[in-house]
Amino acid sequence: MNPVLKEVGDHVAAALPEDVVSVAQRLDELTVVAQAGSIAKVLAFLRDDDQCDFKCLVDVCGVDWPERERRFDVVYNLLSVKLNQRIRVRIETDEHTPVPTATGVFPSAGWYEREAWDLYGIYFADHPDLRRILTDYGFEGHPLRKDFPLTGHVEVRYDDEQKRVVYEPVKLTQDFRRFDFLSPWEGMDRLLPGDEKASSPPQAAAPKG
């Protein structure tokens, strides 16, 4: 266990007892689980406290756990250049509960939160410009959710007659699909061309005459 990270984790937990759910260190990385409604307060403390000094927001990303009641994690990765330390802050939310935006603490969170909204559907309350950032304006759904269909809902193509891009419902050409997960080296019940050579005994060399 890294003693520096342990000291930082204990300090954060003691300073924010009502806002921090847990602090853990694993694989030499410190993770703070916070209350979703307190995320701005926790981030501001980590940025401004002299013992923390995490002034750089590296990124904000989402994680989908569809079997959980609160299916989404929102993960904030912070860096302290002064202390040469990193910390991960994690909160949980669901499809309908907004998460307070972190743009008031770290303005750079704006595009990260737009990406999490676009790809996961995580809503950030009071975000100044919460629009899609990677998918098209007419895109349906959130493509990084684990229950999102691999084929998507619509397909995009250029119609040469209409001279424009058109959206059409996905049409699978197969009536159904079968997926064979068997290794190609297992379960073969027939010989491939050339296999007979491996099982035949070696032939004696012809006598030299």
Side-chain angles (χ1 to χ4, degrees), residues 166-186:
V166 295
Y167 296 83
E168 297 176 337
V170 171
K171 298 177 182 178
L172 301 180
T173 55
Q174 306 96 324
D175 292 334
F176 55 87
R177 293 182 175 182
R178 292 177 178 167
F179 298 94
D180 183 7
F181 298 102
L182 190 65
S183 166
W185 304 108
E186 301 173 357

Side-chain angles (χ1 to χ4, degrees), residues 1-25 29-33 42 45-46 49 51-52 54 86-88:
M1 179 176 292
N2 188 320
V4 177
L5 291 180
K6 183 180 186 306
E7 183 178 354
V8 172
D10 293 343
H11 175 64
V12 174
L16 303 170
E18 297 182 357
D19 307 299
V20 173
V21 178
S22 64
V23 177
Q25 187 179 161
E29 295 180 346
L30 181 64
T31 300
V32 173
V33 180
V42 173
F45 176 84
L46 293 172
D49 184 81
Q51 192 170 335
C52 299
F54 292 98
R86 295 177 182 266
I87 190 172
R88 178 183 297 114

Side-chain angles (χ1 to χ4, degrees), residues 48-109:
D48 299 334
D49 184 81
D50 292 337
Q51 192 170 335
C52 299
D53 205 42
F54 292 98
K55 296 190 181 299
C56 179
L57 177 67
V58 179
D59 70 355
V60 181
C61 59
V63 184
D64 186 17
W65 306 92
E67 69 279 1
R68 279 187 349 199
E69 182 178 357
R70 290 184 293 182
R71 66 182 292 179
F72 298 119
D73 284 343
V74 184
V75 182
Y76 305 78
N77 292 295
L78 306 177
L79 168 67
S80 172
V81 177
K82 178 180 177 181
L83 303 178
N84 191 27
Q85 298 292 341
R86 295 177 182 266
I87 190 172
R88 178 183 297 114
V89 182
R90 180 173 64 83
I91 61 175
E92 296 181 2
T93 188
D94 56 32
E95 302 177 53
H96 310 292
T97 305
V99 174
T101 182
T103 53
V105 183
F106 293 103
S108 61

